[in-house]
Amino acid sequence: MVKAFNRLPISVIPTHYTITLKPDLVGHTFTGQAVVKVDVKEAVKTIVCNVNELEIQSATVVSGTTTMSPTIALNKEEETVTLSCDQELAVGSATVTYNFTGILNDKMRGFYRTKYTVDGEDRYAAVTQFEATDARQAFPCWDEPAVKATFDMIIVGPKDRVVLSNMPEIENTEDPEDSTCKVVKFATTPIMSTYLVAIVVGEFDYIEDKSEEGIAVRVYSPLGKKEQGRFALECAVKSLTFYSKFFNVPYPLAKYDMIAIPDFSSGAMENWGLVLYRETCILVDPLNSSQSSKQWVAIVVCHETAHQWFGNLVTMEWWTHLWLNEGFASFMENLTTDVLYPEYRIWDQFVPGTLIEALKLDALNSSHAIEVEVGHPSEVDEIFDNISYNKGASVIRMLYDWIGDKSFKTGMHSYLIKYSYKNTETPQLWAELESASGLPVTSVMKSWTEQMGFPCISVTSQQEGADRVLTLTQSKFVGDGKANGGSSGSRWQVPVSISSPGKEVTKVMMDREAEQTTVRLANVAASDWVKLNPSVVGFYRVHYSQTELGLLCEAVKSKALPPVDRLNILDDLFSLIAAGKAKTADGLRLLQSYKDEDSYIVWNNISQVIGNLSIVIADQDFYSDWERLILELFSGIKKSVTWDPVEGEGHLDTLLRSLVITRLGKAGDQEIRQEAKRRFDLHASGGAQVSPDIRTAVYSVVASMGQEEDYNTMLRLHEEADLHEEKVRIGRTGLAAFSNKTILAKALEFSLSSNVRAQDSVHMIGSVAGRRQGRDLSWQFFKDNFVLLSERYQSGFLLSRLVKSCSAGFLCEEKAREVEQFFTEHPLSGSERNVAQAVETIRLNTAWLTRDQADIANFFKQN
């Protein structure tokens, strides 16, 4: 998996770049010049830096009074250019100039083109996406995060286009070579990494505001849509001020621009002072955006704004420490959104949405540690995953809870001040937090970041008079339930919290060296429930004895436990079932305790459990019994959920409505299906519009009925939609969600048509793969279109995700071997880990079915 790789030589390093770029928005090419001031550390004849997909026309090196014309050697495999001079460069400063040309590609990486339409005419903007290693596609550079320098950017573009970069514009003159163009110079940047440089040339409107500290904040949007940036502008202004105060470190730039880009591979990119977003992550249309989309915009804006400090001001030394950037920003996005928009109840949503997703991936033997050694750049894309982001955020949340808000803020402040404009590794963060808190942060956190996986804590208890005595034992939780193997000895320093009725929470630290930990709970009766991990702050699972689980089951029914703890009990049990540590019938019986549930986050987790088990039993004769159980389970909440909003309802009530309608409709509730179809027909014919908060539900329920006329109607609505959010919604939850295989085959073909942006095709194909009827179709489609897909996405994490979504849903060893064989014969650089995770998932689900098939069938016979 690991390619041989060497980082760039440190004999010559840059201190300042002057970059001039002139994109041709019609011919899709660009010309450029890079004038780089370098510091020659030792006398050498060669200068090596990164270049990819560029043609170097000429280069000169000025050392002292000598000007040299070196030979130029490009290494495509290493993505480098070597300049070889006739004589040694003297130690000290020198200037290297590169003249080059490149292609404005359509791959959403490097310096690329993005298509938009004005009055029916297709036009192109030129934009950048450099993280992780694609600045080298725009100009020759030392494209490693630790090689920081300052930048003067000079961009030449048409006079009628907006031209932006990281810093404010300082000069705007007519291009002496082309009177239709202007030359825009920007202020010198602070010392920064190459992957954070950004350039945009296109047509945009904007709205602006100022933060409390006087920072100019703008949101740029497609022409005619500037008001859709209003909510993101509010979030940006508020979050800039929040972070300035939280870290007690001012935002270091004069302006903060955010811009909606039509074609963008990720959700957003935190370029310093110029953050680029996919449209769905920044634009909110009051008439057509759902509350969940608006919440997503808040989260993404808070995430990217956190990076302005954590990632941009202080940067990881190498991609091994990517999690420092992403895990931290993912934690802060939730902390900040919770402060700015408490009505979202974001920490409650964090558990099913972030923490549990990380636990699922981290239970696999093909997972990885939070800190994973990265060599060759092709390995970087694979770790932009649920471990770096979600597990990273979860363990920082656990740390924050353990050391407290005050120590966390103090430690973060000293870390950011000490390492401003520098690079760090993980231990340097732990040292500052340890110093601030006086707690052994380093020794505890090393156990969470340097080894993969997490513990399962088994609980047994006995009554000693009025006290309950718990015995806690930790072992590595493994998805296949096997205790043997090289990593089974893994243990952690675990901050454990324990709750019981009417008592203060008890906190203990489980030592990684101790086999067992004994905890005495005073005055806890034999009839009282005991719950580990209240609020689900700890990154671990809990295996209760049957007695303890029975008491907790009653606490679920009576709602004596808060919602997040109610969902935790269900989720832990089903993860143990999947690992063969409990029977599926036990889980199905526990599910029935949730019939009177009223919390969105609990229903959201129930829905996840239903989704997981639906994959495992997709081909079984008793699947119809399973759908009947779902209808029974949701029958109570159906009575209390209305189709239309109720005055004064909370944010989570709004989200619950869509979930309940979707689950009931897909499981065959005829009343729900008829009403969904009635509303859809009205909406499609220009009558009463379906509320954006239930459009996803209505589209998916109508699709589940599988009528071709509805598919054709959705195609029309997709074409007519002006809001990108609406196109995505129709694509993923409408067109890709039909139950008819013939229609799904059409949806797959449509996903790669010019009507669907490349950034969205992957998710649409993945949505088809997630349906029982689409599983085999999408895998065959992936194989048939492998060359096209690999060329379109050129590895990258979009393709990695597609690899997994198209292949992980199978349920037999034969398919596991087929997937392995296919990727052995068609290797995809940067997707090896995803292939391994997909194959392991197939084998785990196959084992689950083989183990519990009779048990599940028997349950349905008796119920």
Side-chain angles (χ1 to χ4, degrees), residues 249-285:
V249 177
Y251 174 72
L253 306 184
K255 61 105 171 169
Y256 187 48
D257 290 341
M258 311 196 302
I259 185 163
I261 302 298
D263 298 288
F264 203 69
S265 61
S266 58
M269 176 61 212
E270 68 268 18
N271 316 296
W272 218 357
L274 177 56
V275 183
L276 273 61
Y277 290 79
R278 188 181 283 211
E279 288 184 11
T280 50
C281 297
I282 188 172
L283 300 182
V284 174
D285 176 355

Side-chain angles (χ1 to χ4, degrees), residues 616-628:
V616 175
I617 62 173
D619 304 323
Q620 301 304 305
D621 292 340
F622 50 70
Y623 196 87
S624 56
D625 295 313
W626 170 231
E627 291 189 314
R628 177 176 51 79

